Amino acid sequence: MDFFIKHLLSVLIFFPAASIFLLLPINKKNQGVLRNLSTFLSLVELIFSFYLFVYFKQDTYKFQFVEKSSWIPSFGASYFLGIDGVSLFLILLTTLLTFISLLSSYRYIKEHVKEFVILMLLLETFMIGTFASLDVLLFYLFWEFMLIPMYFIIGMWGTGKRVYSAVKFVLYTLSGSLIMLFGLIYIFIMHYNQTGNFTFNILRLYNTNIPSGLQLILFIALFLGFAIKIPLFPFHTWLPDAHTEAPTAGSVILAGVLLKFGVYGFFRFAIPLLPEAAFTLAPFVIILGVIGILYGAFVSIVQKDLKRLVAFSSVSHMGFIMLGLFAMSVISINGAVLQLLNHGIATGALFLFVGMLYERMHTRQIKDFGGIAKKAPVFTALFMISVLASVGLPGLNGFIGEFLILIGSFHSYPVLTVIATSGIIFAAVYLLWMFQRVMFQGVTNPAAENFEDMNLREIITVLPLIILMFLIGFYPMPFLERIDPTVLHFVSMLNHHNIVYNVIKLKTGLSNA
Amino acid sequence: MHNMPSIYGMNFLEKSMLGIIPETVIIIFAFFVLFLAFFEKLAKRNNSYYLSLIGIVFSILYVLMLAGRNISGFYGSFVFNGFDAFLFIAILFSGLFTVLMSKDYIENSGMPAPEYYSLILFGLSAMMFLVSSNNLIMVFLSLEFMSICAYILTGYIKDNTRSTEAALKYFVLGAFASAFLLFGSVFIYASTGRLNLYGIHSFLQNVSYLGVAGSGGSIGIKVYISAGLILFLIGLAFKMSLFPFHSWTPDAYDGAPTPVTNFMATGIKLAAFAIFLRIYSLIYDFNVMNFNDILWLLAVFSMTFGNIAALLSTNIKRLLAYSSIAQAGYILTGIIGGGFYGYSGTLFYLLSYIFMTAGAFSVVIIFENSNLISLDIKKYSGIGYKYPFIAASMSFFLLSFAGIPITSGFMGKFYVFSSAVKSGYNWLVIIALLNSAFAAFYYIKIIVKMYMPDKEPAAASSNSSVQGNIPEIAGGAIDEGIMITIIICLILTLFMGIFPQIFINFANNSAGFLWRI
């Protein structure tokens, strides 16, 4: 047990990959066995990840569950894992959503089940690895390979223009990642030039002295990589396509986990590595975020396709998170991190419901729905809760996150925060209007007459998310008290940089005078 | 010359012979294989195939036995040290893969087998001679030896007009390039009075320390040696298929029998890069001219041109040919980056390049052998479901070409790019990275064809239509030689991508010898 806890992160990373070997010998035709076994394995993984939560010490900002062993000494890269309060919850979200999306695909995925479950488990390995690695090269390895399983999931089981969407998704993200790689290599070489040691240890790279002019250039390089993943406003064009054409499980993972990597990248790499540039460019990033909030909301209002609507709502929600992160106050970053979870939970749930609608009616056009509420009361109730959580109704999780973000950012960016707040109103407009058109009104589509209510498997699929919505909505303390020390340390580290930066500016100003 | 024997001691011939044992073994086996052709009974069956495999394995064993030594033989014309050991192993692996994937191909095309295998072996020995040659004349001779083998092999399918055309094109252009190389050597000899590379090295060192080259006092030397080095570079750039000298590549790769294409793409490229690396580190580095700028341009154009042309090609062999031009550009990045780090990165990349290329060509050969699928990329549609293992391996090799992590291609790229950043070539790296992103598109295009075929309206929901298009491989048997190649390549590509340290150590050790004169 002691060994298990000590190497828990490695276990979490490699358990899904190892479980692929269990699935490989099973005959393709045994779809039921494949589905059940893979779901069971992801459940085991989820249970393993609870140990992280239980054994996580909440009174320290230091990295926990640290594992370190040498990997490529020539590059100074090591197998260095560890989590803090932020990555803890993101890993929990990953294991939960992988389980849920495997459970949700029983009906949706009919062909090539074996390939599908293998890719999902492979994807889980790489997602957890990305959140857990503290070595830049290791991080990059996990980060970029993650694209490949996702690409196959969209391309092989998607609908409509799936190949186009999959290729667009890969190329867009890959271009960003490669530019980011340049920035990371540059910082790595710079650290070598200063100390004479090759190292990819992120904690050591934090200490690299980078002149502020260069920081701006490098920040832009990293920014492109992360902003495309989030996606921030002008880089969002891959997202609606990928989300719309992906199978339900793909959309859930994409919205629930993959989008979080961008924010996580800013939190872990871009801002601490290049703090001065982050301070200088923060207003621009926030402006892009706020444009994203409004743009996403406006575009959502006019969408005709359900999935596209939810996809654009993601653009809007991610804008809030960027606002919170770059406002750089303790409260707003706490809110941003919590909102990462909330968005994963609420949007994941919305995609699940849209997927169920599609499975039953084989359409995603809003105009084809209507009058479903009478036929399927359970479905309506649970869907309603998810919609309201996404809107940000008090008592549900979305409210807590957005409220913290807005409070925290108001001090530094009052005008932008006020503009951003209107995004919540628009969220109510597009989501509730959508809900009204889909669930209420008269029946326009004869297929809706035989609309089945949710079965037990589907209820189990969404139930964890619904519970979490209420839990975070009413009692967010278990989450916030684990996130808080990390964020506190993050902000104090930044403030320290900021003070030094201002002192240098002051001194150079004086010497000029 | 009078003091040479005293340097080598009494038995300098024996010592010299020791340095070329790996080549000698290969040549002996090549003659054995050739003798088989005299006896009709022996020529049939696969005797020559097994015999050449044994020869290559023996040669690898000899290289491993010699690996620790540092031998200079034949009055300094040949050297054998750690650098050569690394590259010999790599070249022999390339030869091994080529032979392994040839068996069914040769039988199907009805070509005489013993001559084919002996040419491959002769070509291999020529590559090894080229790598270890340390004298301008030896460089030229072994380069010509290697090229002549390659010309004949390219045109080996006699009845096929494409093959003949490819061979002729390759020969005419190759002859030109050799002329350039020879002309360059003449200039270098004229200005330095030395043919031995170490001799030229020390001459340039003295001249540059005395400041003669830069002062204008003897402008003649500078002009002659610059002209010589440029002409020499052109000759080698042809073999490395860098941009303006690449025009033979797609035709020759396309027309040649596919195992020979693999031989050209891995072996010849490796040997050419190896000798270029040796000469570059010895001579070009003296900054007679700013050769790094010239290489910079060559690298950028090679990558960009190779990728754009690959994007437009619909034939898989041509696509791989263009992609190999682009890969040559990436490899050159390491040489431009220079220094210990850069050269070691170049060697690492070259090694990883062999495995991914050999793997990709084996998959092409499997489908070509059974006449199931033409070389048109469109015909690869739906293979992913029919042949899961082969298609998955092909995807993995393509991802490695594209430089996606956990493949050796990523580690190689990372290595050479970081060496270039280290030397301050930031723009080169940015261009190279953008190129990689661009290149990913056409590699992924093939994966799309294999796994995401356009569903036909008649059978949109099932994959039966997809399977209907692709007949079974005749007899259901894939030649085990090709399967072994694929498996070795797969394992090494993955292993070099995840645990590269052991290979980096080899490359480091090998690159270190470049300075040990």
Side-chain angles (χ1 to χ4, degrees):
Chain A
M1 198 63 193
D2 200 33
F3 181 83
F4 174 73
I5 297 298
K6 212 171 171 189
H7 296 279
L8 188 52
L9 283 175
S10 290
V11 172
L12 281 174
I13 292 174
F14 293 109
F15 179 73
S19 55
I20 290 172
F21 290 103
L22 256 155
L23 294 166
L24 272 178
I26 297 173
N27 193 322
K28 279 176 106 154
K29 304 231 163 59
N30 276 338
Q31 299 195 340
V33 177
L34 283 166
R35 284 193 173 115
N36 289 331
L37 185 61
S38 61
T39 314
F40 172 72
L41 287 167
S42 66
L43 180 67
V44 173
E45 169 87 356
L46 176 62
I47 293 167
F48 281 166
S49 68
F50 286 150
Y51 280 100
L52 276 187
F53 187 79
V54 173
Y55 285 88
F56 188 85
K57 296 184 201 70
Q58 45 179 287
D59 47 356
T60 171
Y61 67 86
K62 290 212 170 71
F63 287 101
Q64 306 183 29
F65 301 98
V66 173
E67 290 176 47
K68 197 171 181 189
S69 56
S70 114
W71 176 40
I72 314 177
S74 292
F75 301 150
S78 52
Y79 179 73
F80 185 21
L81 304 176
I83 55 165
D84 57 9
V86 175
S87 30
L88 165 72
F89 287 111
L90 290 170
I91 288 177
L92 288 172
L93 186 70
T94 310
T95 52
L96 177 67
L97 287 180
T98 308
F99 166 66
I100 284 177
S101 37
L102 275 170
L103 195 61
S104 75
S105 332
Y106 273 52
R107 194 165 155 189
Y108 194 98
I109 306 293
K110 293 196 181 79
E111 298 169 20
H112 312 306
V113 174
K114 187 172 174 183
E115 287 89 343
F116 178 77
V117 294
I118 287 177
L119 284 172
M120 284 296 282
L121 291 172
L122 194 65
L123 185 61
E124 188 176 16
T125 285
F126 283 88
M127 290 190 298
I128 297 176
T130 315
F131 284 132
S133 32
L134 293 177
D135 181 278
V136 178
L137 195 65
L138 194 63
F139 163 82
Y140 191 83
L141 224 66
F142 285 125
W143 160 279
E144 198 167 304
F145 189 78
M146 199 163 55
L147 290 178
I148 303 303
M150 199 63 217
Y151 155 73
F152 278 110
I153 288 171
I154 300 174
M156 284 170 73
W157 293 277
T159 55
K161 295 189 295 175
R162 64 209 158 94
V163 172
Y164 166 80
S165 311
V167 172
K168 188 173 178 184
F169 163 70
V170 169
L171 290 185
Y172 224 112
T173 333
L174 189 66
S175 323
S177 304
L178 286 169
I179 301 283
M180 179 181 96
L181 180 63
F182 171 75
L184 294 175
I185 290 179
Y186 200 97
I187 296 171
F188 161 68
I189 294 294
M190 198 136 184
H191 187 267
Y192 169 76
N193 288 342
Q194 286 169 10
T195 62
N197 287 321
F198 284 126
T199 182
F200 271 113
N201 185 333
I202 185 67
L203 302 176
R204 288 211 205 133
L205 287 180
Y206 283 163
N207 300 327
T208 316
N209 287 317
I210 305 171
S212 26
L214 197 59
Q215 280 205 13
L216 288 180
I217 295 167
L218 291 175
F219 190 85
I220 289 168
L222 297 196
F223 174 83
L224 282 173
F226 296 132
I228 287 175
K229 203 86 166 188
I230 290 176
L232 209 55
F233 161 64
F235 309 107
H236 65 278
T237 51
W238 62 269
L239 178 111
D241 286 322
H243 268 316
T244 312
E245 308 304 356
T248 306
S251 302
V252 172
I253 294 288
L254 201 57
V257 187
L258 256 65
L259 303 191
K260 310 297 177 287
F261 284 111
V263 181
Y264 176 75
F266 275 114
F267 176 81
R268 178 76 75 230
F269 297 96
I271 299 176
L273 280 172
L274 309 158
E276 291 167 31
F279 277 116
T280 320
L281 293 176
F284 299 100
V285 179
I286 287 178
I287 288 171
L288 287 181
V290 172
I291 294 175
I293 294 173
L294 296 181
Y295 172 84
F298 289 145
V299 178
S300 293
I301 293 175
V302 296
Q303 287 307 311
K304 297 189 178 79
D305 183 310
L306 265 178
K307 251 186 161 177
R308 256 188 128 70
L309 185 144
V310 182
F312 272 109
S313 84
S314 283
V315 177
S316 179
H317 284 128
M318 294 316 277
F320 272 108
I321 296 173
M322 287 311 279
L323 168 68
L325 183 63
F326 273 84
M328 290 188 203
S329 73
V330 177
I331 297 173
S332 73
I333 295 180
N334 265 325
V337 175
L338 193 64
Q339 190 64 10
L340 281 179
L341 298 183
N342 294 339
H343 175 259
I345 293 165
T347 311
L350 285 182
F351 274 122
L352 287 175
F353 285 112
V354 174
M356 287 173 210
L357 283 172
Y358 181 76
E359 280 165 17
R360 287 167 170 77
M361 314 261 293
H362 300 288
T363 176
R364 288 190 310 252
Q365 300 299 315
I366 294 174
K367 66 174 166 38
D368 293 342
F369 296 104
I372 290 169
K374 278 179 217 150
K375 306 280 172 197
V378 181
F379 183 88
T380 314
L382 296 179
F383 192 16
M384 187 76 211
I385 295 171
S386 312
V387 165
L388 291 176
S390 194
V391 169
L393 187 80
L396 289 170
N397 61 351
F399 173 74
I400 309 281
E402 279 169 6
F403 187 69
L404 286 174
I405 291 175
L406 293 174
I407 288 186
S409 334
F410 186 76
H411 180 68
S412 337
Y413 301 95
V415 180
L416 286 169
T417 308
V418 170
I419 298 173
T421 312
S422 66
I424 301 182
I425 301 166
F426 291 119
V429 172
Y430 62 78
L431 280 169
L432 291 177
W433 192 36
M434 177 275 287
F435 191 77
Q436 182 211 340
R437 283 180 293 167
V438 171
M439 305 308 287
F440 304 128
Q441 293 184 333
V443 178
T444 52
N445 188 345
E449 294 288 349
N450 309 321
F451 195 90
E452 309 157 36
D453 208 343
M454 291 167 84
N455 60 26
L456 185 64
R457 175 184 61 80
E458 286 167 335
I459 293 177
I460 295 175
T461 311
V462 291
L463 205 61
L465 298 177
I466 303 282
I467 293 172
L468 277 172
M469 285 173 200
F470 282 111
L471 183 66
I472 300 179
F474 282 114
Y475 188 59
M477 277 323 280
F479 299 89
L480 283 177
E481 68 189 6
R482 285 174 174 78
I483 297 170
D484 195 52
T486 308
V487 172
L488 217 60
H489 173 68
F490 179 76
V491 173
S492 68
M493 192 166 74
L494 286 183
N495 283 340
H496 172 72
H497 270 287
N498 202 11
I499 290 163
V500 173
Y501 177 48
N502 284 333
V503 166
I504 293 170
K505 268 209 301 203
L506 206 64
K507 276 193 176 161
T508 47
L510 282 176
S511 63
N512 285 344
Chain B
M1 289 284 170
H2 62 278
N3 60 350
M4 276 296 180
S6 65
I7 294 175
Y8 290 96
M10 290 294 282
N11 47 359
F12 74 93
L13 184 64
E14 283 89 333
K15 210 169 176 187
S16 304
M17 285 305 292
L18 193 64
I20 59 163
I21 275 191
E23 292 99 321
T24 318
V25 170
I26 289 281
I27 288 180
I28 290 171
F29 270 88
F31 277 116
F32 271 149
V33 171
L34 209 52
F35 275 128
L36 286 184
F38 291 140
F39 309 103
E40 258 182 52
K41 261 190 183 168
L42 290 173
K44 279 173 194 167
R45 281 176 281 159
N46 293 309
N47 288 329
S48 41
Y49 167 75
Y50 291 114
L51 203 56
S52 25
L53 282 183
I54 294 170
I56 292 173
V57 170
F58 262 110
S59 185
I60 292 178
L61 291 178
Y62 274 113
V63 177
L64 292 178
M65 275 164 64
L66 289 174
R69 298 181 185 236
N70 198 346
I71 304 164
S72 169
F74 297 107
Y75 301 107
S77 303
F78 284 105
V79 287
F80 180 90
N81 53 30
F83 179 73
D84 302 82
F86 179 87
L87 284 155
F88 276 21
I89 299 270
I91 286 172
L92 286 168
F93 259 104
S94 143
L96 187 72
F97 293 147
T98 310
V99 172
L100 276 174
M101 63 179 79
S102 302
K103 191 173 144 206
D104 275 8
Y105 197 95
I106 297 299
E107 272 175 23
N108 287 355
S109 57
M111 298 184 279
E115 289 86 343
Y116 171 84
Y117 289 114
S118 70
L119 277 171
I120 295 265
L121 291 184
F122 279 127
L124 265 183
S125 71
M127 286 167 195
M128 289 151 78
F129 275 128
L130 179 60
V131 171
S132 62
S133 53
N134 193 28
N135 180 309
L136 289 179
I137 290 190
M138 276 322 298
V139 170
F140 177 72
L141 285 179
S142 19
L143 195 81
E144 275 304 275
F145 185 16
M146 176 180 88
S147 306
I148 287 168
C149 293
Y151 301 148
I152 302 173
L153 283 170
T154 307
Y156 205 72
I157 317 180
K158 264 185 261 164
D159 312 331
N160 189 328
T161 43
R162 288 180 76 86
S163 174
T164 316
E165 181 200 334
L168 193 67
K169 252 184 196 167
Y170 188 20
F171 172 68
V172 172
L173 290 172
F176 256 112
S178 302
F180 274 111
L181 186 102
L182 195 59
F183 204 34
S185 315
V186 170
F187 270 112
I188 297 172
Y189 179 63
S191 52
T192 61
R194 283 159 179 81
L195 283 170
N196 190 300
L197 293 180
Y198 292 161
I200 298 170
H201 175 85
S202 51
F203 176 85
L204 287 176
Q205 209 162 22
N206 291 336
V207 170
S208 65
Y209 281 147
L210 294 172
V212 181
S215 68
S218 65
I219 209 153
I221 290 184
K222 200 184 166 181
V223 170
Y224 272 108
I225 195 139
S226 308
L229 288 176
I230 288 175
L231 290 170
F232 203 84
L233 177 65
I234 290 173
L236 284 176
F238 179 86
K239 296 288 169 212
M240 295 187 278
S241 62
L242 294 173
F243 165 64
F245 316 106
H246 67 278
S247 50
W248 61 277
T249 317
D251 288 323
Y253 278 30
D254 185 18
T258 315
V260 176
T261 313
N262 172 60
F263 197 50
M264 290 198 282
T266 55
I268 292 185
K269 189 161 273 190
L270 194 69
F273 264 105
I275 191 65
F276 181 62
L277 198 59
R278 189 192 283 282
I279 295 176
Y280 190 83
S281 63
L282 283 176
I283 301 174
Y284 285 80
D285 249 1
F286 277 108
N287 232 354
V288 183
M289 261 175 72
N290 204 347
F291 275 100
N292 270 359
D293 286 353
I294 296 176
L295 291 188
W296 195 97
L297 280 177
L298 288 182
V300 166
F301 281 125
S302 299
M303 289 174 215
T304 316
F305 171 81
N307 284 331
I308 292 174
L311 186 66
L312 301 174
S313 47
T314 53
N315 173 317
I316 191 147
K317 269 164 91 179
R318 283 188 97 82
L319 184 141
L320 287 173
Y322 283 120
S323 111
S324 88
I325 297 175
Q327 298 286 334
Y330 300 137
I331 298 172
L332 202 57
T333 313
I335 300 182
I336 297 169
F340 179 68
Y341 196 67
Y343 293 156
S344 146
T346 311
L347 291 176
F348 182 84
Y349 199 123
L350 281 170
L351 190 64
S352 67
Y353 174 75
I354 290 181
F355 296 121
M356 46 194 177
T357 312
F361 277 117
S362 323
V363 174
V364 173
I365 289 174
I366 287 182
F367 293 121
E368 219 182 334
N369 268 349
S370 37
N371 288 322
L372 297 180
I373 298 166
S374 69
L375 294 168
D376 194 345
I377 294 170
K378 279 194 200 111
K379 298 283 159 106
Y380 277 68
S381 161
I383 281 177
Y385 304 122
K386 189 79 183 167
Y387 303 109
F389 175 71
I390 299 172
S393 331
M394 183 67 172
S395 316
F396 195 72
F397 296 131
L398 291 173
L399 291 178
S400 182
F401 276 126
I404 303 286
I406 85 159
T407 63
S408 59
F410 169 75
M411 277 299 164
K413 268 188 189 153
F414 169 79
Y415 207 163
V416 292
F417 290 169
S418 54
S419 82
V421 170
K422 190 159 167 274
S423 308
Y425 291 95
N426 294 327
W427 282 109
L428 178 65
V429 173
I430 289 174
I431 293 170
L433 284 168
L434 288 177
N435 254 303
S436 315
F438 181 71
F441 182 72
Y442 62 81
Y443 294 122
I444 282 177
K445 193 172 76 176
I446 303 176
I447 301 179
V448 164
K449 279 278 172 281
M450 291 195 296
Y451 282 97
M452 305 159 199
D454 304 319
K455 284 176 182 166
E456 276 149 44
S461 59
S462 76
N463 56 349
S464 57
S465 68
V466 171
Q467 297 193 342
N469 286 339
I470 306 165
E472 289 278 355
I473 286 179
I478 297 170
D479 180 21
E480 66 275 7
I482 298 185
M483 283 316 269
I484 292 171
T485 312
I486 292 182
I487 291 169
I488 294 177
C489 293
L490 201 60
I491 292 173
L492 282 169
T493 306
L494 186 67
F495 199 73
M496 286 178 82
I498 300 180
F499 302 109
Q501 183 57 43
I502 172 168
F503 298 96
I504 292 174
N505 287 344
F506 289 146
N508 276 344
N509 186 26
S510 162
F513 280 97
L514 281 174
W515 285 274
R516 255 181 249 177
I517 294 166

